[in-house]
Amino acid sequence: MVKIPVLEIFGPTIQGEGRVIGRKTMFVRTAGCDFRCSWCDSKFTWDGSAKDDIRLMTPEAIYDELKAIGGDQFNHVTISGGNPALIKGIQALIDLFKTYNIQTALETQGSKFQPWMRQIDDLTLSPKPPSSGMQQNLEILDTVIDQCVSTTLNLKVVIFNDDDYHFAQTIHHRYPHLPFYLQVGNPYLEDDVVHHTDKLLVRYEQLIDRVMSDATMNNVFVLPQLHTLLWSNKKGV
């Protein structure tokens, strides 16, 4: 019997990032990641601090809990992490969602491919820039992109500094046929940040200004992290 390591199930809320920003959705957050990003806002999914909270759940149990929490107030589920692309068993969950006409979203860094990723309705690959402290393997990313035949496939890079911006330029021009999103990073990860929204909006405006004056980035979308503007670093929203 397939079981999936789950840390959180919550919603309905809005999707705060990428192509589906603002989309009403439920969240299923899985445990485990193959990256260790310095600015990760979900380190509890891989650093061991929440290991006692991991539940091994069947797809049916996940669906039942989604319905118990969200009732009939959703038809879209975001599979989050960590990196859910490490989990082969999510195939059974996707198949179950399809039987109930529930749409799905996934964001992953593009380090691992699973065949079920082709069935995701909103598929975002988010290669990690230099500020993450990770070395993104672009040849592996090429392979993942080649296998993800999906009309919704898009790319997103989070920007914290100049090196990240240059990385984003490289990614955008390596895959010019794919929709490309730039998103301002959130460096303020403390539980209680004074004037958090104001600080993030300043960084967002700076990124907008940079893109507006860059002729090499004419075909991009520039986004905030909408959920952090609304709820700062609060979990479960």
Side-chain angles (χ1 to χ4, degrees):
M1 182 180 296
V2 172
K3 291 193 175 181
I4 298 166
V6 175
L7 273 169
E8 292 183 305
I9 297 177
F10 62 91
T13 183
I14 57 163
Q15 174 58 252
E17 304 184 359
R19 177 181 179 272
V20 286
I21 191 169
R23 176 69 160 93
K24 184 180 182 182
T25 189
M26 297 288 288
F27 273 83
V28 175
R29 187 183 300 280
T30 61
C33 191
D34 50 334
F35 277 23
R36 300 291 185 267
C37 296
S38 61
W39 35 251
C40 179
D41 60 2
S42 303
K43 289 183 178 179
F44 63 95
T45 62
W46 50 261
D47 67 3
S49 62
K51 63 181 180 180
D52 292 337
D53 298 325
I54 298 172
R55 293 180 290 163
L56 294 177
M57 301 180 69
T58 65
E60 292 77 11
I62 292 171
Y63 176 76
D64 288 346
E65 187 160 328
L66 285 165
K67 291 296 290 184
I69 296 171
D72 61 356
Q73 299 171 11
F74 73 97
N75 65 359
H76 187 278
V77 174
T78 298
I79 303 170
S80 185
N83 183 10
L86 299 176
I87 306 171
K88 183 177 181 180
I90 287 178
Q91 177 70 69
L93 181 62
I94 299 299
D95 292 341
L96 183 63
F97 285 158
K98 293 297 183 184
T99 65
Y100 290 106
N101 296 315
I102 294 175
Q103 296 179 339
T104 52
L106 173 78
E107 181 178 312
T108 176
Q109 58 261 42
S111 60
K112 178 74 173 178
F113 171 75
Q114 298 285 355
W116 55 259
M117 289 165 60
R118 297 189 183 117
Q119 296 173 252
I120 296 293
D121 296 292
D122 299 302
L123 177 59
T124 298
L125 300 185
S126 183
K128 303 310 177 190
S131 65
S132 70
M134 297 292 101
Q135 184 69 42
Q136 185 82 41
N137 187 318
L138 296 188
E139 292 183 359
I140 292 177
L141 182 62
D142 289 342
T143 301
V144 173
I145 287 174
D146 287 344
Q147 295 180 94
C148 288
V149 181
S150 168
T151 58
T152 69
L153 176 61
N154 64 95
L155 294 170
K156 187 192 81 176
V157 174
V158 178
I159 307 297
F160 284 84
N161 56 37
D162 289 345
D163 288 341
D164 291 355
Y165 189 83
H166 296 316
F167 175 81
Q169 289 174 312
T170 298
I171 295 296
H172 180 41
H173 297 294
R174 189 179 181 96
Y175 314 102
H177 61 293
L178 293 177
F180 189 74
Y181 296 81
L182 295 178
Q183 183 172 291
V184 66
N186 171 25
Y188 315 111
L189 298 178
E190 300 84 5
D191 290 338
D192 187 15
V193 182
V194 178
H195 303 306
H196 196 195
T197 297
D198 292 339
K199 291 177 179 178
L200 292 174
L201 285 174
V202 168
R203 294 176 64 85
Y204 181 41
E205 186 174 9
Q206 290 170 344
L207 180 57
I208 289 173
D209 289 343
R210 182 160 193 175
V211 173
M212 295 309 105
S213 61
D214 184 354
T216 73
M217 299 289 269
N218 287 347
N219 193 28
V220 304
F221 300 83
V222 188
L223 300 177
Q225 271 192 323
L226 186 57
H227 58 291
T228 59
L229 293 182
L230 292 169
W231 299 300
S232 191
N233 294 321
K234 184 179 179 181
K235 294 178 181 178
V237 291

